[in-house]
């Protein structure tokens, strides 16, 4: 039931609170008590509310279709705005993460490429140094080889000059000096001398003079073996030499090679630094 303004619930149960038309209606319904019947259980005494006027759009609790549609549109607009902002936030975050990851990958690739090029540069530098070292080594070997060729040519030239010296008149004096030098080096009493093939006669001719010089040297030294000195010429000739002699003593256990080739080789070894300085600076 719709309450009228100004009426409370207890007033509805009392007949007086109803309009006259309602009491008459009760009488017509057959109520024996009449208008003063206090029973509200009686169907004829049930209060009858007077119909009220239909409420307007402002007074009702419901909304019309336009208002519902408008509210739905506002909710959709709000949801869309939230979705757009959320999508923008996700996009910005994804863009930042993408840029960070891209920068990390770029830096890592740069570091890898830089390390690779540094390694290649080092390899090239090592290869270059090895190549330079090989060139320098090859150049030095060529220089040493050329210097050795020059030294060999010098030795061959000296050998030719010695051959010419043997054929000259000065060779007899040189041969005597070689014999005396060998005897002094050996300091022996019994010495056998071998001459170069074809030079035995020359050696025999200069032997007395050489022995006399050796004895004179021994006497000055005060040696007691002067009277025991016995120098002989061995008939076995020296082959492959241009001049000089080979002396042997103590039963051929001690041998002194005093040929011109041996002395030339010895002179080349002793004078090699000076020779190089003169030839190559």
């Amino acid at each position: 039931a719709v309450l009228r303004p100004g009426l409370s619930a207890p007033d509805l149960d009392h007949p007086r609170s109803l309009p006259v038309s309602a009491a008459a209606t009760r009488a017509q319904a057959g109520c024996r008590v009449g208008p003063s019947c206090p029973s509200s259980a009686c169907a004829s005494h049930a209060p009858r509310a007077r119909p009220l006027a239909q409420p307007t759009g402002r007074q009702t609790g419901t909304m019309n279709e336009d208002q519902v549609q408008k509210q739905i549109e506002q909710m959709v607009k709000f949801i869309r705005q939230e979705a757009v902002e959320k999508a923008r936030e996700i996009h910005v975050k994804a863009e930042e993460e993408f840029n960070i990851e891209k920068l990390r990958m770029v830096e890592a690739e740069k570091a890898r490429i830089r390390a690779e090029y540094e390694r290649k540069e080092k390899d090239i530098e090592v290869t270059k140094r090895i190549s330079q070292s090989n060139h320098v080594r090859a150049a030095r070997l060529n220089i040493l080889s050329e210097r050795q060729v020059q030294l060999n040519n010098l030795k061959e030239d000296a050998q030719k000059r010695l051959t010419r010296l043997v054929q000259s008149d000065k060779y007899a004096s040189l041969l005597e000096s070689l014999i005396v030098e060998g005897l002094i080096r050996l300091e022996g009493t019994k010495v056998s001398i071998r001459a170069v093939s074809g030079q035995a006669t020359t050696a025999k001719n200069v032997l007395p003079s050489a022995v006399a010089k050796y004895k004179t040297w021994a006497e000055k030294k005060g040696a007691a073996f002067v009277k025991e000195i016995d120098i002989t010429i061995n008939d076995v000739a020296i082959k492959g030499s241009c001049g000089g002699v080979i002396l042997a003593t103590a039963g051929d256990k001690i041998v002194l090679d005093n040929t011109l080739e041996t002395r030339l080789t010895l002179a080349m070894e002793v004078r090699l630094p000076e020779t190089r300085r003169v030839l190559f600076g």
Side-chain angles (χ1 to χ4, degrees):
V2 179
L3 299 179
R4 293 179 59 188
L7 296 179
S8 59
D11 294 335
L12 295 177
D13 294 335
H14 202 278
R16 295 179 181 179
S17 62
L18 299 174
V20 178
S21 59
T25 302
R26 288 182 177 183
Q28 292 176 1
C31 179
R32 296 179 180 179
V33 178
S36 61
C37 179
S39 177
S40 60
C42 182
S44 61
H45 299 160
R48 295 178 181 270
R50 189 175 64 180
L52 301 177
Q54 291 294 331
T56 63
R58 294 181 180 180
Q59 295 175 350
T60 183
T62 61
M63 296 183 295
N64 57 25
E65 293 182 0
D66 294 338
Q67 292 175 340
V68 171
Q69 187 66 25
K70 185 176 182 181
Q71 187 171 4
I72 291 173
E73 291 178 356
Q74 290 178 353
M75 293 176 65
V76 170
K77 185 177 180 181
F78 175 77
I79 293 173
R80 287 181 178 177
Q81 184 65 25
E82 289 290 328
V84 170
E85 292 179 357
K86 189 66 176 178
R88 185 181 296 109
E89 180 181 353
I90 294 174
H91 178 73
V92 171
K93 185 176 181 181
E95 188 72 19
E96 291 178 356
E97 293 179 354
F98 170 75
N99 291 331
I100 293 173
E101 183 65 17
K102 182 177 70 174
L103 181 61
R104 186 190 65 80
M105 294 178 65
V106 169
E107 292 298 327
E109 189 66 16
K110 285 182 179 180
R112 187 189 66 81
I113 294 174
R114 192 179 299 110
E116 182 70 16
Y117 273 92
E118 288 178 357
R119 183 185 64 81
K120 290 182 179 180
E121 185 178 1
K122 289 181 180 180
D123 292 341
I124 293 173
E125 187 67 22
V126 170
T127 304
K128 182 179 179 181
R129 290 182 180 180
I130 292 175
S131 178
Q132 290 178 349
S133 178
N134 290 334
H135 284 301
V136 172
R137 181 173 176 272
R140 288 178 178 177
L141 290 177
N142 291 333
I143 293 173
L144 292 176
S145 178
E146 187 63 26
R147 288 182 176 182
Q148 188 62 37
V149 170
Q150 296 296 328
L151 292 174
N152 293 336
N153 293 336
L154 179 62
K155 186 176 181 180
E156 290 178 0
D157 185 63
Q159 184 72 31
K160 292 178 181 179
R161 293 188 180 187
L162 289 177
T163 301
R164 291 195 297 268
L165 177 62
V166 170
Q167 296 173 357
S168 66
D169 296 336
K170 298 179 181 180
Y171 178 65
S173 176
L174 175 62
L175 185 59
E176 179 183 346
S177 299
L178 292 176
I179 294 173
V180 173
E181 183 181 21
L183 292 173
I184 293 173
R185 294 292 298 274
L186 292 176
E187 295 186 10
T189 55
K190 292 183 179 181
V191 180
S192 63
I193 300 174
R194 293 173 57 194
V196 176
S197 179
Q199 299 180 7
T201 302
T202 305
K204 292 179 181 179
N205 291 335
V206 299
L207 183 59
S209 176
V211 172
K213 291 181 179 180
Y214 175 54
K215 289 181 178 181
T216 301
W217 173 83
E219 289 176 355
K220 289 182 180 180
K221 189 179 178 181
F225 58 86
V226 177
K227 296 180 179 181
E228 299 177 1
I229 293 176
D230 183 14
I231 310 300
T232 59
I233 299 296
N234 194 331
D235 295 333
V236 180
I238 303 172
K239 296 181 181 180
S241 178
C242 66
V245 292
I246 295 178
L247 297 89
T249 186
D252 295 338
K253 294 180 181 180
I254 301 176
V255 178
L256 175 64
D257 189 348
N258 209 16
T259 58
L260 295 180
E261 288 79 9
T262 301
R263 293 184 65 88
L264 177 60
T265 302
L266 181 61
M268 290 290 293
E269 292 177 357
V270 173
R271 297 296 181 90
L272 183 60
E274 183 178 354
T275 305
R276 286 179 176 175
R277 185 169 58 254
V278 172
L279 292 177
F280 313 120

